[in-house]
Amino acid sequence: MPLIAYYFHIVTPLTALLNVVVFPLVWLILVGGFIVLIFGLVFPILVTPFAWLTSYSEIALENLILFFSTNFKTFFYTSTPLWIWIIFYYLIVIFFIIRERFNIKMVHTLIATLAILNIFVFSGLFDRSQDCLKLTCFDVRHGASFFIQFPNGKNMLFDTGTKSNYDVGKFVVAPFLWKEGIKEVDTIVISHEHDDHCNGIPSIIERFKVDNVFVNKFFLQSGNRVELLRLFKEEKVKTGLMADGLEIKGYEPAKIMVVNPPDKDMLRNEGFPIENLSINDSSSVLLIDYMGYRILLCADIGESGIKLLLSGKDDPIADVIQVPHHGGFIVNTEDLIKNVRPKYAIISATANVVSTSTIEAYQKYRVSLYKTHEDGAVTFTIDKNGIQASKFIRQVMLEADSLR
């Protein structure tokens, strides 16, 4: 069971109980199958009972699995256990096996086991805080997914999706979170309704406890994500609305401000032609401030979205910027760069959608540009020493070189 948790990130509490029934059925299927295979051509009549036995055992096993998988919660997801706890598990098993040889009483064995289990359960409760902020941009091809780990131990997922049927929530983000020992996602922010920003969210909801989800009114009132909103309700995930000028609390000493879009009803009341505002331009934009360093997550805003952002009351200056709309061509890209004045920029996309003029604009202003399709996942770490950027592909290559 520990090895299953380590490699597949699932725990099956009913394993011991089900094995009592499953193992005999599997044994009957294997033995009966070999008998039928070996003697079937020579003594077809004599092996008929074994064929029936094998067939009915297989049907029984299939129905047993189907019954438990559909009527009971036979497994739950877990983060990657440390090797030390896997070793402890097997040491306990060995201890139970050999205890009689050393005349160790059962009560003492149980006390030692419970003590170790308590250390295992409570050891993770006091190690959530860190002295830095980490932003990881995953390589999800044409899509977006950012995971932010805050100094107070909380975390936030900003978008998760890709422009294909590949489930990046299941196959990219979840394995990373398990590897990091993350069991709970404190907040998910969905910038807008397009698949390449949110089609991986259901797999995260399924595999992790999620406390809050934030969307804007454009997303909520579009009517295009009814199933996703229903999933939030079914899983009892609190859903909140956000708009320009609001602050997402609970992440101090970091500060998280929403800087786009303005409230939809407020725009309508001011006579703004919201019907002309595209889905991309209504993307939620976050400005994260920690230790005087700032990160601007732009999602998919285009020309109109950039104008709205720059006309807002909040100062958009940032050290790290998510290049809007996957690095595609936007006529006022230089206006954004001149106002934000970033030192680092990250593009989450495939090579064919990134505009040459966008790359040239960031190079013109000497911005260090990272691209997930070339660099893999990129992590920015903010601490007292400033900002450090690391690339997943470079790390893998260095590790491979060290093994040669």
Side-chain angles (χ1 to χ4, degrees):
M1 189 161 62
L3 292 177
I4 293 175
Y6 184 86
Y7 288 106
F8 301 102
H9 305 104
I10 60 173
V11 175
T12 53
L14 292 177
T15 298
L17 176 63
L18 291 177
N19 283 345
V20 175
V21 181
V22 169
F23 279 172
L25 289 174
V26 171
W27 185 85
L28 289 172
I29 293 170
L30 290 174
V31 173
F34 275 118
I35 292 174
V36 172
L37 182 64
I38 296 171
F39 299 105
L41 294 176
V42 182
F43 309 107
I45 297 177
L46 294 178
V47 300
T48 300
F50 293 98
W52 281 98
L53 179 64
T54 302
S55 178
Y56 281 110
S57 297
E58 185 179 354
I59 293 171
L61 180 61
E62 183 179 342
N63 288 331
L64 180 71
I65 294 172
L66 183 63
F67 174 77
F68 276 94
S69 63
T70 55
N71 293 282
F72 298 95
K73 183 66 175 178
T74 55
F75 70 92
F76 60 88
Y77 293 99
T78 183
S79 57
T80 305
L82 297 174
W83 270 107
I84 185 67
W85 296 116
I86 297 176
I87 294 170
F88 270 139
Y89 174 87
Y90 287 108
L91 285 177
I92 290 172
V93 172
I94 294 171
F95 193 61
F96 268 94
I97 295 173
I98 67 173
R99 67 180 182 81
E100 291 185 359
R101 180 178 298 180
F102 295 96
N103 296 320
I104 301 173
K105 294 181 179 179
M106 175 63 76
V107 64
H108 294 155
T109 304
L110 292 175
I111 290 172
T113 302
L114 289 173
I116 293 174
L117 287 175
N118 273 296
I119 295 172
F120 173 73
V121 171
F122 291 106
S123 61
L125 298 180
F126 307 101
D127 195 31
R128 291 195 71 192
S129 62
Q130 54 187 20
D131 58 356
C132 63
L133 183 149
K134 286 185 179 180
L135 169 75
T136 299
C137 176
F138 299 104
D139 177 13
V140 291
R141 314 310 292 163
H142 185 113
S145 182
F146 293 82
F147 187 69
I148 310 109
Q149 296 164 276
F150 291 88
N152 65 354
K154 289 192 174 183
N155 58 64
M156 175 181 289
L157 186 64
F158 182 81
D159 285 345
T160 289
T162 190
K163 197 176 181 180
S164 71
N165 293 325
Y166 187 72
D167 192 339
V168 295
K170 178 179 179 180
F171 295 112
V172 177
V173 180
F176 171 85
L177 299 184
W178 285 324
K179 195 68 177 177
E180 289 287 302
I182 304 294
K183 301 180 180 68
E184 178 178 335
V185 178
D186 295 300
T187 298
I188 293 177
V189 173
I190 303 176
S191 64
H192 63 295
E193 66 185 67
H194 284 158
D195 277 351
D196 59 337
H197 288 256
C198 66
N199 63 8
I201 297 294
S203 289
I204 300 299
I205 300 290
E206 178 186 344
R207 288 163 173 77
F208 298 88
K209 182 182 183 301
V210 177
D211 287 340
N212 306 283
V213 171
F214 284 100
V215 298
N216 61 44
K217 283 187 179 179
F218 292 90
F219 179 98
L220 188 67
Q221 297 173 3
S222 69
N224 295 327
R225 289 295 173 182
V226 175
E227 291 184 4
L228 188 55
L229 293 171
R230 186 183 297 118
L231 177 63
F232 298 155
K233 186 175 181 180
E234 290 173 354
E235 297 297 328
K236 299 180 181 178
V237 179
K238 291 176 287 187
T239 306
L241 286 174
M242 57 183 177
D244 178 24
L246 296 180
E247 180 180 353
I248 300 178
K249 297 282 190 177
Y251 291 89
E252 296 75 11
K255 183 178 181 180
I256 306 171
M257 294 298 301
V258 182
V259 292
N260 192 71
D263 182 81
K264 185 178 181 181
D265 295 329
M266 185 184 72
L267 284 176
R268 184 185 290 110
N269 293 335
E270 292 176 352
F272 185 91
I274 58 173
E275 63 277 359
N276 296 334
L277 194 65
S278 70
I279 293 173
N280 286 334
D281 288 317
S282 68
S283 296
S284 292
V285 178
L286 297 188
L287 181 63
I288 303 170
D289 191 315
Y290 176 61
M291 298 184 72
Y293 300 100
R294 307 172 99 189
I295 299 169
L296 188 66
L297 299 178
C298 295
D300 270 3
I301 57 172
E303 179 182 357
S304 298
I306 290 173
K307 288 179 180 178
L308 274 176
L309 174 66
L310 298 182
S311 66
K313 60 181 180 180
D314 290 300
D315 186 356
I317 293 175
D319 300 277
V320 180
I321 185 173
Q322 173 197 5
V323 178
H325 205 196
H326 313 284
F329 173 77
I330 303 174
V331 69
N332 52 354
T333 289
E334 284 206 30
D335 292 338
L336 178 67
I337 300 172
K338 286 187 287 188
N339 281 272
V340 175
R341 303 202 290 273
K343 298 179 180 66
Y344 303 90
I346 178 71
I347 296 177
S348 179
T350 51
N352 62 311
V353 302
V354 180
S355 169
T356 302
S357 63
T358 299
I359 294 176
E360 291 174 349
Y362 280 90
Q363 290 174 339
K364 175 182 176 181
Y365 291 91
R366 298 182 179 179
V367 180
S368 297
L369 188 60
Y370 295 86
K371 313 177 195 73
T372 57
H373 62 276
E374 294 180 359
D375 303 316
V378 178
T379 298
F380 296 95
T381 303
I382 299 176
D383 58 21
K384 62 183 180 181
N385 297 316
I387 303 175
Q388 295 84 40
S390 60
K391 302 184 289 186
F392 175 76
I393 288 181
R394 175 174 171 78
Q395 288 177 339
V396 170
M397 291 176 66
L398 288 173
E399 290 174 3
D401 289 340
S402 67
L403 294 174
R404 290 176 183 172

